[in-house]
Amino acid sequence: MKHKLTVLVAISAALTLAGCSQTTQSNTQSSQSSQSKTSKVAKNSSDNSNTSTSSSKNKDTYTKLSASKMDYKTTASAIAVYAAQKYGDTWEIAVNAAKQGNLGVAFRSKDATGITSDNDGYVYEVSGTGKSSNARYMLAGDGADKQVTIFVEQRNLGTTSLKDIVAYLNQKNDADLVKQLAEKTQLNVKLAGDEDTQKTTNNSSASVIPSSLQGTWYTADTGNGNIDTLTVTDNKINDEAGFSMNVKAKTSGSSTSDGYMKQTTINGISFYSFTNMGQTPGQGSTYLAPHTEDGQSVIVSANSNGRTNAVYWKSEALAKKNSNKQFSDLKY
């Protein structure tokens, strides 16, 4: 009997151990499975987080404008978009029309527009329809600190800097719109109803500027590689930097946009000086000389001491090829 009880106790103990073993194994497998699921969830969560971060970065990445690296066409486009958003009115009309066509910028005198401003520069008139417009601005200074005064007809809406305009447009994420309009911007255009055109026609019965200077000329001597265009007719000079002059045969005239021409030789080169009415040739005058460099006809632009400001070429390709190049026969 005692032997039988011993056997029963042994069997019972064996069964108990077996049960514990299965329970432990089951718990271990359950724990491993749980850890595996947790790991997968964590990984998926991490992947989603990375995707979300990447999406956020892409969402926050926009094209930006730089006030210190803007050519004349981009500057005109930026001013137009800024004024359209800030002031609406005729500026908004001009920009909306330009989206379907071109943004035309005419160079006007203050006398022709009726603007009374302390600024001695010229008035830039902006249109999207090819017709004379009341959307106008004036510039003073250089670079990112250039001051921009915005008008509707003769009404001064305010003055701000180019860098503040750019900061505003970047905040509004309008860089792409500015660049799209810049590609369709045309400078120094003639707008229908442009009073300057009528005055020039009436006062220019005889050719004054020699044919050797006439034509459209290009330079990349701007310091940043941009192309500047100089247009010379028989009675008028325009360049994209804003200089514009109706050249008269006599040294008298009533308009601030009028000037006269004289010939002078500086450093052995025959220059023509273009000076505003009421002034004498010298500081503030523009000096241009027909010349030849590398077998090409060029125009040399210099100051009153004959130091070269820029060399203008007959094509943009030649201008880029000779960007900021110094020639041994010119003074710098």
Side-chain angles (χ1 to χ4, degrees), residues 17-263:
L17 289 172
C20 289
S21 175
Q22 290 177 354
T23 300
T24 301
Q25 183 177 4
S26 175
N27 289 339
T28 300
Q29 290 175 345
S30 176
S31 175
Q32 290 175 342
S33 175
S34 176
Q35 289 177 357
S36 176
K37 289 180 180 178
T38 302
S39 177
K40 288 181 179 179
V41 170
K43 183 177 181 181
N44 290 337
S45 176
S46 176
D47 289 344
N48 290 337
S49 176
N50 290 338
T51 302
S52 175
T53 301
S54 176
S55 174
S56 175
K57 286 181 180 179
N58 290 336
K59 184 177 179 181
D60 293 338
T61 300
Y62 297 96
T63 302
K64 299 292 184 182
L65 298 169
S66 173
S68 61
K69 298 179 181 179
M70 298 183 74
D71 58 23
Y72 299 115
K73 292 182 179 181
T74 307
T75 297
S77 175
I79 292 170
V81 173
Y82 170 83
Q85 292 198 15
K86 289 282 286 187
Y87 305 112
D89 201 88
T90 188
W91 281 100
E92 188 172 7
I93 294 172
V95 169
N96 287 336
K99 291 177 183 178
Q100 309 302 320
N102 296 308
L103 188 70
V105 183
F107 298 165
R108 306 285 301 278
S109 69
K110 289 195 298 183
D111 285 351
T113 59
I115 288 177
T116 56
S117 169
D118 293 336
N119 193 326
D120 292 329
Y122 291 92
V123 178
Y124 298 84
E125 187 168 295
V126 178
S127 174
T129 62
K131 298 180 180 179
S132 187
S133 164
N134 290 327
R136 299 161 176 168
Y137 66 90
M138 297 184 74
L139 301 175
D142 298 302
D145 292 322
K146 181 181 297 180
Q147 297 296 296
V148 183
T149 304
I150 298 172
F151 300 84
V152 168
E153 200 169 11
Q154 291 90 21
R155 182 160 54 95
N156 186 330
L157 301 182
T159 299
T160 187
S161 67
L162 182 59
K163 66 181 178 184
D164 286 341
I165 288 176
V166 167
Y168 175 90
L169 295 172
N170 284 336
Q171 185 179 23
K172 296 289 185 179
N173 301 317
D174 281 329
D176 287 337
L177 173 59
V178 170
K179 291 183 177 181
Q180 288 168 11
L181 284 184
E183 292 178 356
K184 300 190 295 181
T185 295
Q186 298 176 343
L187 300 175
N188 192 25
V189 301
K190 294 301 179 186
L191 301 175
D194 188 331
E195 296 177 18
D196 275 350
T197 302
Q198 297 172 3
K199 286 185 178 182
T200 301
T201 302
N202 295 335
N203 295 332
S204 302
S205 57
S207 177
V208 178
I209 303 175
S211 59
S212 57
L213 289 177
Q214 294 179 31
T216 301
W217 305 83
Y218 306 89
T219 185
D221 297 345
T222 54
N224 56 12
N226 292 334
I227 297 293
D228 189 3
T229 302
L230 172 69
T231 304
V232 184
T233 67
D234 55 355
N235 295 93
K236 192 164 186 174
I237 298 175
N238 280 296
D239 70 32
E240 287 186 344
F243 174 79
S244 182
M245 178 180 286
N246 298 320
V247 184
K248 307 297 182 181
K250 297 180 180 180
T251 59
S252 62
S254 58
S255 174
T256 57
S257 63
D258 289 347
Y260 65 95
M261 180 187 74
K262 282 191 173 183
Q263 192 170 12

Side-chain angles (χ1 to χ4, degrees), residues 221 269 291-296 298-300 308 310-313 318-319 321-332:
D221 297 345
I269 297 177
H291 199 57
T292 301
E293 294 292 355
D294 288 346
Q296 300 287 334
V298 300
I299 288 181
V300 178
T308 303
V311 177
Y312 287 86
W313 303 80
L318 285 170
K321 179 182 176 182
N322 294 281
S323 175
N324 299 311
K325 184 176 179 180
Q326 294 193 354
F327 297 92
S328 58
D329 61 333
L330 299 180
K331 184 178 179 181
Y332 292 90

